[in-house]
Amino acid sequence: MKNRVVITGIGVVAPNGIGVVPFWQALIKGTNCVDTITFFDPAQHPAQVAAEIKNFDYKNYLSHEVARKMDRSSHFAIAAALEAVDDGAFKIKNENRDKIGVVLGSAAGGLGFYEKQMQVFWQGKGQGIDEQTLLATSSGTVSEEVSNLFGFSGPSIIISNGCTSANDAIGMSANFIRSGELDVVFTGGSDACITPGIVGAFCRLGALSTKRNHEPKKASRPFNIDRDGFVISEGSWVLILEKMEHALERGASIYAEVAGYGATCDAYHITKPLPSGEETARAIKMALKEGNVEPEKLSYINAHGTSTELNDKTETLAIKKALGKHAYSVSVSSMKSMIGHAIGAAGAGGVAVCALAIKNDFIPPTINYESPDPECDLDYVWNTGRKKIVEAALGNSIGFGSKNAAVVLTKYKG
Amino acid sequence: MGQRRAVITGIGVISPNGLNKEAFWQGIKEGRNCVDRVTSFDASGFPSQIAAEAKLFNPQDYLPIKSIKKMDRSNHLAIVAAKGAITDGEFQINDAEIGRIGVVIGTSFGGVGYAEKEIYKLYTEGLRMMSSYTTTGTFCGGLTGEVSTAFNFRGPSFTVANGCNSSSDSFGLALGMIRDNLADVMLAGGAEACITPGVVGALCRMGVLSAKASRPFARGSDGFVLGEGSWVFILEELEHALQRKAHIYAELLSWASVCKPYGDKGADRVSEVGEAIVSALQKGGLDPEEIDYISAHGSGLPALDEAEIKAIKKVFGQHAYGLAVSSIKSMLGFPLGAGGAAGLAAATLALENNYLPPTINHEVDDNGDVLDYVPNNGRGKKIRNVLSISLDFRSKSSVLALGRYPGNEK
């Protein structure tokens, strides 16, 4: 018999709030966090909007001495992990450290740190680059610093699968607990990609919204027919995944149960999704099947919903393929309409929203609804969130590099 | 029903000493030293100017120019190594099962070389000159996206980017995916191509690169030598392998990965490495006395080499002097995140051939308490089970255990 896995804590560092309560309140209200880029001068960038975390001060979590050796993505992950410990009232004891692991997703890791150092480097000051560059750039440092902070000595892993990184990290974490390898995993994702180089690279790919630099609040508009690309964002979400007995024993409050996970690859194109959506649908079906959740029982899907032309219509098609007629009854929303796309961390945000929707029986909206797309014809919970009993929810993510990952959560009923 | 078992049925290699399994094995068997002056860029301004480059590898021999330009060198290496594994394993790709074939590759830095070039363009020539493939060429996820796509494998496609133990942990995840029934076949391994001005510069600043030679376990070693390459395996569910009558190199018995605090509050690295070894032995159902060979991390960083040796002595006691320990990094340098996969390839082929690859550049330690590092010359030895150790700089330690199939059935 495999162990059951529950979510007992959520830590958030997001453009709309730091801590799970502000995050959820902002989502319920539909707060729009997209604005003109302030972190650097985006004059030469065709896309000039982003959802930045402006009120994050790493000093609330770390000393400057420690923090300066890390990329912003590590700062985020540490802060989110501390928030999760707080939210989950999780006590770290010497005797349980060996059975606690850290598995986080990050698409870029410390690439932002590297970019800054390379600026120095290419300006001919090769000896002047920071001696921390190698470690701060390595994605592995993100999980290492979280393990190190708490003294967790289980596996400390970074999954770097592009936009599905965090969903895949959560899926692997659940499997670690199911198989008995670990009792607790701190999982989720972190990315800090609002840098001239990374935003520039996404601009060159043609993936970002460029038409609404003058009205940034309208730029992220998933499932609208006049969508023109995604809005880049940043942040970290860390979930405490726990073996059910372990959680019950310590009297933890349970958000939801992690019921199933599915991962597939389109093997089609490095940036474009398979037009038929069949591999995205297969990941959804795998996750439902593992969780013993009949498609009709699914109440909510937190969609990848990036606001790119191809993603939104392909994802819609995939949901129809996976759920059949029930696709028109399930509520589907994209928080990217409010807080943009946090790349490798986004999936963790999506699973966090699923857990909160289950706990609160409430579905957050997709904002910015203005122009319907006939190919996107599901219930996207337009503009206003609503009360709904949420028995089962699915966090979906679709990534460049052809990857698909879905996580299914269910209401915990003992 | 018992636990699903995973076996190694194919090995593909792109390495400084050759472009396939046979050349790799021949090279390490003979103790061929592949460390030389850096040729891929002008390293004259750096304190360390040596590396083990995969000079024989020319991506144009395998891939169209158009796709070469869209990818980092680490992707080229991984695609070709994966192809090598498929050929070596005589693996026929059957359309009916592509959904059950996945890819997990470990890397420290993925496409950092691609990033480096494009960042240069951004800051000198402007955004318009930046490649439109910079995201997919740079992000570690692009690596496995490209490999899965190259072979139309539709199972899970994962890049593990943990640092220097990445590829050992990639085998751990692949093993888990097979056991958990997420896949029947996994292409698992590592790829790294970071002999670039930026990474060499950063490593020099960190003070870990040797300016002389790769001398694992040797007294007075002044650091490690950077390497590169890709080592990809076919890891297959046992019944699946038996059904297609595949050649079975070995069974992947277990994976253990430990992360202990570093720095001031740090646990000592000796007990951490020791814990990882003990955990791998336990999970694999092995007694310490059943291990005949350890493919060591042995990078040439004195503190880490010392911790590894002490951990081996601590765990194995008297048997530490009965087993053999060698480091192929003495010949091939240290390909960072791909190091674990390279080490596992050496371990697998040692088991297969009952032969110990040497640690070259070995100088005898005079304190008398030395392990059998297989100094300078390889030799034959009956091998039952092997371990492969992979360590990150500060706090991550991973160990894999391989057993002979069907020899490990007691």
Side-chain angles (χ1 to χ4, degrees), chain A residues 79-145:
Chain A
L82 285 163
E83 291 286 342
V85 164
D86 195 33
D87 179 57
F90 190 82
K91 298 243 186 327
I92 295 141
K93 293 177 260 166
N94 273 333
E95 49 284 15
N96 64 6
R97 286 181 182 174
D98 291 352
K99 294 281 269 184
I100 305 179
V102 176
V103 184
L104 296 172
S106 184
L111 203 54
F113 198 101
Y114 198 65
E115 184 180 336
K116 271 197 200 135
Q117 297 305 321
M118 281 303 104
Q119 257 182 285
V120 176
F121 185 76
W122 292 126
Q123 284 158 6
K125 300 170 192 155
Q127 297 307 309
I129 63 172
D130 193 307
E131 57 190 50
Q132 297 296 331
T133 301
L134 194 96
L135 293 171
T137 301
S138 169
S139 305
T141 298
V142 181
S143 71
E144 180 177 37
E145 293 295 358

Side-chain angles (χ1 to χ4, degrees), chain B residues 7 33 52 145 214 219 278 323 340 381 390 408:
Chain B
V7 292
N33 192 333
S214 185
R219 182 161 290 189
V278 169
L323 51 74
K381 180 184 179 171
S390 177
N408 60 332

Side-chain angles (χ1 to χ4, degrees), chain A residues 243-282:
Chain A
K243 187 165 86 171
M244 184 183 73
E245 288 79 8
H246 193 276
L248 294 176
E249 212 165 297
R250 70 176 187 93
S253 157
I254 293 172
Y255 281 97
E257 180 163 356
V258 183
Y261 161 69
T264 65
C265 183
D266 289 354
Y268 173 69
H269 188 273
I270 196 70
T271 55
K272 295 186 185 108
L274 186 66
S276 69
E278 65 186 272
E279 288 299 325
T280 306
R282 190 165 73 92

Side-chain angles (χ1 to χ4, degrees), chain A residues 270 401, chain B residues 70-71 75 79 136 141-151:
Chain A
I270 196 70
Chain B
K70 297 178 185 174
M71 299 177 211
N75 300 15
I79 292 174
T136 51
L143 176 65
T144 43
E146 294 288 5
V147 173
S148 293
T149 303
F151 304 102

Side-chain angles (χ1 to χ4, degrees), chain B residues 303-319:
Chain B
L304 218 48
D305 283 3
E306 192 189 329
E308 188 175 16
I309 291 164
K310 283 188 174 161
I312 291 169
K313 287 179 180 170
K314 193 173 152 187
V315 172
F316 290 94
Q318 203 48 44
H319 183 61

